[in-house]
């Protein structure tokens, strides 16, 4: 009893290396090889980051150049394949038509994604509460998922109060399922010992949900968010193709169809460019949200150190 | 001699000791447990746990040690027989309400919480505010030597440190009974010995009652002052005997003749318990 509890401190298993920049055990063997210093490590990291941005830009620039060359050399008429210059031109001149359309599509996509997040997450929580609720409801969600949205769209268009509402419902239905199924998986994958621990400490159902199940399923939810974000945009476009609505409230999909009918191919390309940009933006945004919420603790957001 | 030693430890923490009565902490009477798949995990197990004991539950794998420990913790129902917790507050479900802590074989930490957050959990579930809990959490962390790692996430810690967090979380509620289910089985020998010494020190300092499940004879003989050897298929108590020593349980004790003898005795008992089994 010469030592108190406080003195029997952890020292045997404290991390021996906190710096991490120099691999410790290789010194003797590879004395000829220059070990990376902190400065050179930072420099190589910077170079890597620059390359990560530069390489894709170069590839895209090359492809655009090839496109222009092909159009010029073969003398392709602009109503079949316009050059990139013409596309940029119509992007600027048709801005007053394309921008409202972009805004409409963005609104529908984001609104349906938000609804799918709330609906999918909430439904998942409901499903895992009892096996009977799951047995009763899960098949319906599967049927809804496996039926192609383009096939249900006409029905939804008939019953929905407005075209906008119909588009919203279509995009919601498509984005809903990946979020639901991922979330269900997450809620069911909670460490059993942690569940035992919560039971031991007399945690209520509510506490177990808030402090254990929800945070534990966050990585799964984020996967659902990334998939759902992409699908919501696709569904919003597909549904608008089916609806074929015209007028002031129409989105990018309608502008695509309209350009096709009028053989205004450069505007079609411009609309396509905006659509792709929106998709990339949604992907970047959902990826960032996922990284931001998980980077402090989850393996998927950590760089491997070895 | 051990009793005298414990006496000196008792005098250090009179408040902890005075809470104790002669009533047992846990009384298991003829308990059987059948799993839903039909496996008979425990059959007619009886055991009484008295305050201040350091019990080692020893036995071959699959003998129901962990099942017995879970039943003592109030996790899972008893199929037959009775278990009672005479010294604990009992909740509406007839189970002990707090005062029992569990350390699993794995650290079982929440990866999204810091070390502080993980240790805070038992108090948070009881509705203690962070402000009030803070001091107790830091004391618990200090007792396992992790006071400087309160803001670290579990992934930043080594296996031994994660286990220490798990122990700190078990201690933060100042429980009467600490249940440990092969807590250090996955650790390397050096870390394991260190943690064994730490658990012993905590036991001496706080007077907590410990039940320690292990399949290591050496660990049992080093730590426990009472050894319960279990027999497998179905799980039941084979022998239950005290293990006293005149020596201080420390690094020197590990190399002493007395420890060697204790190991031999425990080992013989374990062999006897495994007798008749095919290997």
């Amino acid at each position: 009893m010469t030592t108190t509890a406080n003195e029997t401190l952890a020292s045997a298993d404290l991390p021996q290396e906190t710096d991490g920049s120099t691999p410790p055990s290789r010194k003797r063997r590879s004395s000829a090889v220059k070990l990376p210093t902190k400065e050179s490590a930072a420099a190589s990291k910077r170079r890597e980051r620059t390359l990560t941005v530069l390489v894709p830009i170069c590839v895209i620039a090359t492809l655009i150049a090839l496109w222009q060359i092909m159009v010029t050399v073969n003398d392709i008429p602009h109503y079949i394949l316009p050059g990139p210059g013409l596309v940029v031109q119509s992007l600027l001149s048709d801005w007053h038509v394309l921008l409202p359309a972009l805004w409409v599509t963005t609104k529908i996509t984001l609104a349906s994604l938000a609804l799918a997040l709330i609906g999918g997450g909430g439904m998942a929580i409901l499903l895992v509460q009892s096996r009977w609720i799951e047995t009763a409801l899960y098949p319906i969600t599967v049927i809804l998922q496996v039926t192609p949205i383009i096939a249900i769209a006409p029905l939804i268009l008939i019953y929905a109060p407005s075209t906008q509402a119909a588009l919203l419902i279509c995009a919601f239905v498509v984005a809903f399922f990946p979020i639901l199924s991922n979330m269900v998986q997450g809620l069911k994958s909670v460490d059993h010992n942690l569940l035992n621990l919560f039971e031991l400490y007399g945690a209520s159902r509510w506490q177990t949900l808030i402090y254990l199940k929800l945070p534990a399923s966050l990585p799964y939810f984020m996967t659902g968010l990334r998939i759902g974000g992409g699908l919501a945009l696709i569904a919003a476009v597909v549904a608008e193709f089916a609806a074929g609505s015209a007028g002031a409230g129409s989105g990018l999909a309608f502008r695509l169809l309209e350009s096709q009918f009028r053989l205004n191919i450069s505007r079609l390309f411009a609309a396509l460019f905006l659509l792709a940009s929106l998709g990339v933006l949604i992907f970047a945004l959902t990826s960032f949200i996922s990284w931001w919420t998980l980077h402090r603790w989850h393996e998927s957001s950590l760089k491997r150190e070895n | 001699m051990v009793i005298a030693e414990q006496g000196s430890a008792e005098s250090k923490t009179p408040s902890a000791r005075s809470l104790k009565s002669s009533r047992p902490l846990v009384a298991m009477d003829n308990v059987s447990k059948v799993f839903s798949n039909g496996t008979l995990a425990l059959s007619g197990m009886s055991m009484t746990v008295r305050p201040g004991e350091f019990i080692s539950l020893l036995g071959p794998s699959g003998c129901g040690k962990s099942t017995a420990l879970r039943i003592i913790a109030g996790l899972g129902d008893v199929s037959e027989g009775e278990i009672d917790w005479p010294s604990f507050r009992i909740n509406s479900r007839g189970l002990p309400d707090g005062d029992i802590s569990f350390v699993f074989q794995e650290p079982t930490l929440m990866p999204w919480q810091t070390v502080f957050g993980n240790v805070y959990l038992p108090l948070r579930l009881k509705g203690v505010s962070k402000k009030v809990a803070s001091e107790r959490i830091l004391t618990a962390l200090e007792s396992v030597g992790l006071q400087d790692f309160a803001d670290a996430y579990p992934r930043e810690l080594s296996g031994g440190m994660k286990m220490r967090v798990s122990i700190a979380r078990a201690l933060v509620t100042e429980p009467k009974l600490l249940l440990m289910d092969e807590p250090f089985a996955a650790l390397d020998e050096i870390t394991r010995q260190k943690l064994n010494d730490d658990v012993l020190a905590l036991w001496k300092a706080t007077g907590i009652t410990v039940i320690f499940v292990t399949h290591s004879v050496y660990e049992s003989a080093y730590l426990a002052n009472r050894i319960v050897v279990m027999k497998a298929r179905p799980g039941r108590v084979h022998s239950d005997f005290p293990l006293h020593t005149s020596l201080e349980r420390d690094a020197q004790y590990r190399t002493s003749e007395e420890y060697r003898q204790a190991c031999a005795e425990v080992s013989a008992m374990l062999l006897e318990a495994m007798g008749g089994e095919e290997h």
Side-chain angles (χ1 to χ4, degrees):
Chain A
M1 258 126 296
T2 47
T3 51
T4 69
N6 281 0
E7 280 165 318
T8 52
L9 293 187
S11 51
D13 52 47
L14 296 185
Q16 283 155 11
E17 204 205 342
T18 46
D19 187 307
S21 62
T22 47
S25 59
R26 293 199 188 149
K27 252 176 194 157
R28 195 167 296 262
R29 195 158 44 81
S30 59
S31 54
V33 182
K34 206 176 155 223
L35 287 168
T37 62
K38 219 165 195 167
E39 289 76 33
S40 74
S44 80
K45 205 172 173 186
R46 221 176 305 131
R47 207 177 57 216
E48 197 191 309
R49 209 176 299 156
T50 321
L51 280 177
T52 326
V53 179
L54 271 182
V55 169
I57 288 180
C58 286
V59 172
I60 291 171
T62 313
L63 285 176
I64 291 176
L66 277 176
W67 174 9
Q68 180 66 63
I69 290 167
M70 208 173 77
V71 169
T72 319
V73 169
N74 295 325
D75 204 15
I76 301 174
H78 68 87
Y79 51 83
I80 293 180
L81 180 64
L86 210 56
V87 172
V88 173
Q89 208 181 329
S90 78
L91 189 64
L92 295 174
S93 61
D94 297 344
W95 195 238
H96 62 283
V97 181
L98 293 175
L99 190 67
L102 174 68
W103 177 234
V104 168
T105 304
T106 309
K107 260 195 317 197
I108 290 173
T109 307
L110 293 184
S112 66
L113 182 61
L115 286 177
L117 289 177
I118 298 166
M123 180 93 168
I125 292 169
L126 187 72
L127 283 186
V128 296
Q129 291 310 310
S130 112
R131 208 170 58 81
W132 285 113
I133 299 179
E134 190 180 355
T135 315
L137 295 183
Y138 205 67
I140 298 173
T141 65
V142 173
I143 291 169
L144 214 56
Q145 159 69 12
V146 295
T147 316
I149 191 66
I150 191 84
I152 325 173
L155 275 181
I156 296 177
L157 279 161
I158 292 172
Y159 300 128
S162 70
T163 312
Q164 299 299 312
L167 300 186
L168 196 66
I169 292 169
C170 288
F172 166 79
V173 167
V174 171
F176 172 79
F177 191 79
I179 295 166
L180 172 75
S181 64
N182 272 291
M183 192 68 185
V184 167
Q185 182 73 13
L187 289 168
K188 284 180 169 180
S189 307
V190 179
D191 183 346
H192 284 186
N193 275 338
L194 274 173
L195 284 171
N196 277 336
L197 193 78
F198 272 66
E199 191 188 331
L200 187 72
Y201 287 121
S204 65
R205 238 181 146 93
W206 178 247
Q207 284 177 318
T208 310
L209 180 69
I210 295 291
Y211 296 135
L212 178 59
K213 288 187 174 173
L214 286 184
S217 54
L218 200 60
Y220 295 85
F221 180 76
M222 288 300 156
T223 307
L225 171 71
R226 286 205 305 274
I227 300 172
L231 285 181
L233 179 61
I234 293 174
V237 170
V238 167
E240 203 181 2
F241 276 164
S245 72
S250 56
L252 275 175
F254 175 73
R255 294 299 167 201
L256 278 173
L257 286 178
E258 184 195 47
S259 311
Q260 187 205 358
F261 296 148
R262 296 181 184 175
L263 282 185
N264 190 349
I265 306 302
S266 60
R267 189 199 270 188
L268 194 154
F269 268 98
L272 204 55
F273 170 77
L274 287 179
L275 211 48
S277 303
L278 180 58
V280 168
L281 195 72
I282 289 171
F283 178 77
L285 200 68
T286 51
S287 295
F288 175 76
I289 293 172
S290 167
W291 172 84
W292 186 74
T293 45
L294 302 178
H295 74 280
R296 272 172 302 176
W297 63 275
H298 197 254
E299 300 293 338
S300 68
S301 299
L302 299 175
K303 208 174 170 188
R304 200 150 56 111
E305 293 279 355
N306 52 14
Chain B
M1 289 301 258
V2 167
I3 292 153
E5 266 182 37
Q6 269 185 296
S8 68
E10 276 170 38
S11 61
K12 275 186 203 161
T13 52
S15 57
R17 295 281 160 176
S18 63
L19 288 172
K20 283 183 182 156
S21 58
S22 53
R23 279 192 300 175
L25 288 177
V26 183
M28 270 177 111
D29 187 23
N30 224 3
V31 165
S32 296
K33 169 82 181 176
V34 183
F35 285 132
S36 52
N37 63 6
T39 314
L40 182 61
L42 288 178
S43 170
M45 178 164 175
S46 298
M47 187 171 126
T48 307
V49 181
R50 283 173 289 273
E53 283 185 314
F54 197 126
I55 300 176
S56 172
L57 215 50
L58 180 71
S61 52
C63 71
K65 306 182 291 268
S66 298
T67 310
L69 203 65
R70 274 156 207 269
I71 285 175
I72 291 171
L75 293 168
D77 302 325
V78 167
S79 309
E80 231 175 87
E82 246 178 63
I83 177 156
D84 194 19
W85 296 269
S87 305
F88 292 104
R89 278 171 291 144
I90 300 294
N91 65 16
S92 55
R93 290 183 299 162
L95 298 171
D97 187 18
D99 289 338
I100 295 185
S101 282
F102 207 111
V103 176
F104 298 92
Q105 186 169 352
E106 306 291 324
T108 319
L109 303 177
M110 299 177 288
W112 57 88
Q113 288 279 10
T114 59
V115 166
F116 184 94
N118 270 289
V119 177
Y120 177 34
L121 176 75
L123 298 176
R124 181 181 221 172
L125 293 174
K126 284 188 166 46
V128 181
S129 76
K130 203 174 228 171
K131 219 171 176 182
V132 176
S134 179
E135 201 174 318
R136 286 168 73 181
I137 294 165
L138 292 178
T139 310
L141 282 176
E142 218 166 88
S143 72
V144 296
L146 286 178
Q147 62 275 31
D148 296 334
F149 291 86
D151 296 327
Y153 282 87
R155 65 171 175 88
E156 298 167 297
L157 306 178
S158 68
M161 290 165 86
K162 282 183 200 161
M163 215 60 231
R164 284 171 195 279
V165 178
S166 185
I167 294 171
R169 178 179 61 195
L171 293 174
V172 78
T173 51
E174 293 169 11
K176 287 187 205 160
L177 180 58
L178 177 62
L179 305 175
M180 305 181 93
D181 188 3
E182 297 188 35
F184 311 138
L187 300 177
D188 63 276
E189 192 58 29
I190 298 167
T191 311
R192 186 177 177 158
Q193 285 190 7
K194 181 83 178 67
L195 282 168
N196 278 341
D197 284 336
D198 287 1
V199 169
L200 265 182
L202 283 169
W203 172 65
K204 286 169 186 166
T206 60
I208 192 171
T209 307
V210 183
I211 305 181
F212 192 103
V213 165
T214 178
H215 52 232
S216 162
V217 167
Y218 308 105
E219 209 165 46
S220 276
Y222 185 67
L223 293 172
N225 65 9
R226 176 179 163 198
I227 293 187
V228 176
V229 179
M230 289 183 69
K231 219 175 153 83
R233 278 173 286 270
R236 58 210 186 276
V237 175
H238 171 73
S239 54
D240 183 344
F241 55 95
L243 190 72
H244 294 303
T245 167
S246 56
L247 299 172
E248 178 94 17
R249 294 177 197 239
D250 57 15
Q252 276 176 354
Y253 176 63
R254 278 187 201 279
T255 56
S256 70
E257 177 61 21
E258 203 169 335
Y259 176 60
R260 201 194 59 76
Q261 266 179 14
C263 287
E265 269 171 48
V266 176
S267 197
M269 207 55 94
L270 183 62
L271 269 178
E272 201 184 293
M274 290 164 73
E277 272 186 48
E278 292 137 39
H279 298 290

